[in-house]
């Protein structure tokens, strides 16, 4: 019996390189470890979560697919459940970007090595990219996935110790997405402009908000410039 993945989860799995051991931090139902083992992308997997409920659900699915000899569940917060250099690939997905970076910071000695990070923040992607750049990671791949009316971004990064300069807008739209002409990038930018317009509407009714207004107006301008470039590329 084979597990099938679609959309966001399938894209996350596709970004995991062939490796010995993968660690899925915040595993929920252990779908990613099960799929990766079945596809031969890794030999062993660690399915970790901070709550007992998801760990029990993961155990049930691992038993269902008869993979208890190659997938181990662990309960604990973030990266504290794995040892340094224990995993060749580390997945952290399905949580807010601020929480994700807090986990990376708390386990920095475990991610600043050879492991590939596959990250899928639900929001605050700029916070995640900023942490990676400031800690000398190379974001070597990014791709977008649509589910319903939502668009998710999956990024792959590896520590290389090199300090990289970047433009502020690169924190909001990853350079890889632009270079590879991601087919969902135009829709993503249009969605972000709509979100910014809602924020600007709220800020207009507030006092002493010149700094925030200027920030969001400048960000909207950058998105509109990119939309214009993408439109030209289509014609």
């Amino acid at each position: 019996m084979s597990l099938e993945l679609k959309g966001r989860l399938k894209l996350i799995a596709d970004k995991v390189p062939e490796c010995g051991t993968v660690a899925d931090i915040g595993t929920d139902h252990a779908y990613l470890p099960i799929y990766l083992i079945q596809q031969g992308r890794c030999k062993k997997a660690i399915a970790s979560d901070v709550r007992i409920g998801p760990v029990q659900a993961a155990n049930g699915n691992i038993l269902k697919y008869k993979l208890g000899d190659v997938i181990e569940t662990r309960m604990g917060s973030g990266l504290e459940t794995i040892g340094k250099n224990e995993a060749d690939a580390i997945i952290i997905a399905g949580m807010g970007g601020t929480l994700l970076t807090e986990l990376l910071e708390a386990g920095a000695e475990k991610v600043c090595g050879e492991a590939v990070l596959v990250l899928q923040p639900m929001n605050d992607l700029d916070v995640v990219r900023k942490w990676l750049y400031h800690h000398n990671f190379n974001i070597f791949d990014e791709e977008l996935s649509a589910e319903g009316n939502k668009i998710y971004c999956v990024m792959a990064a590896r520590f290389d110790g090199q300090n990289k300069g970047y433009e502020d807008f690169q924190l909001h739209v990853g350079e890889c997405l632009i270079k590879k002409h991601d087919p969902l990038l135009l829709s993503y930018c249009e969605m972000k402009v709509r979100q910014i317009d809602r924020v600007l509407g709220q800020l207009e009714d507030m006092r002493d908000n010149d700094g925030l207004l200027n920030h969001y107006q400048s960000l909207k301008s950058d998105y509109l410039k990119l939309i214009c470039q993408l439109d030209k590329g289509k014609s």
Side-chain angles (χ1 to χ4, degrees):
M1 180 171 53
S2 296
L3 177 67
E4 292 187 9
L5 296 181
K6 297 180 181 179
R8 176 181 68 93
L9 289 180
K10 177 63 164 58
L11 180 56
I12 294 168
D14 287 345
K15 297 303 175 187
V16 177
E18 290 189 10
C19 62
T21 301
V22 63
D24 184 21
I25 307 300
T27 194
D28 204 5
H29 291 79
Y31 292 142
L32 283 166
I34 291 168
Y35 178 85
L36 291 167
I37 289 287
Q38 288 186 335
Q39 295 297 313
R41 300 290 288 277
C42 61
K43 297 176 181 178
K44 295 182 179 180
I46 300 163
S48 169
D49 207 285
V50 70
R51 296 173 296 151
I52 185 63
V55 172
Q56 290 174 336
N59 281 327
N61 284 323
I62 292 165
L63 180 63
K64 174 183 175 181
Y65 288 94
K66 300 178 180 179
L67 294 173
D69 57 333
V70 288
I71 302 178
E72 177 186 352
T73 58
R74 299 178 186 177
M75 190 170 73
S77 177
L79 293 153
E80 71 178 22
T81 59
I82 62 172
K84 187 175 182 180
N85 300 322
E86 184 176 11
D88 306 299
I90 299 172
I91 302 168
I92 310 179
M95 64 185 71
T98 298
L99 174 58
L100 196 156
T101 54
E102 289 173 356
L103 298 185
L104 291 175
E105 183 66 32
E109 76 283 355
K110 297 175 183 177
V111 296
C112 294
E114 297 295 322
V116 170
L117 300 184
V118 179
L119 310 174
Q120 187 270 301
M122 301 300 276
N123 52 40
D124 295 334
L125 274 72
D126 56 313
V127 175
V128 177
R129 292 190 184 101
K130 186 173 183 178
W131 190 94
L132 292 170
Y133 283 134
H134 283 206
H135 289 78
N136 299 332
F137 278 75
N138 175 31
I139 305 174
F140 62 86
D141 193 15
E142 292 195 44
E143 191 169 341
L144 299 172
S145 174
E147 286 186 11
N149 60 353
K150 295 183 179 180
I151 299 177
Y152 301 99
C153 181
V154 179
M155 58 185 74
R158 180 187 283 112
F159 177 76
D160 66 4
Q162 297 184 22
N163 185 22
K164 301 167 190 64
Y166 60 87
E167 302 289 336
D168 285 345
F169 189 57
Q170 286 177 263
L171 299 178
H172 297 274
V173 178
E175 188 178 10
C176 289
L177 296 175
I178 299 173
K179 286 184 175 180
K180 71 194 306 182
H181 305 288
D182 191 288
L184 290 173
L185 183 54
L186 178 58
S187 297
Y188 177 80
C189 291
E190 291 171 341
M191 177 190 72
K192 298 303 290 187
V193 169
R194 291 192 295 271
Q195 291 175 353
I196 291 171
D197 281 338
R198 288 195 290 271
V199 173
L200 288 173
Q202 295 169 354
L203 288 174
E204 287 176 357
D205 298 327
M206 297 170 59
R207 295 180 179 179
D208 302 322
N209 60 358
D210 289 348
L212 280 174
L213 273 173
N214 290 336
H215 167 73
Y216 282 105
Q217 287 169 347
S218 176
L219 186 57
K220 178 180 177 179
S221 176
D222 287 334
Y223 272 114
L224 291 174
K225 288 177 184 176
L226 179 55
I227 288 172
C228 184
Q229 294 173 15
L230 295 170
D231 278 333
K232 288 181 180 179
K234 290 172 58 179
S235 58

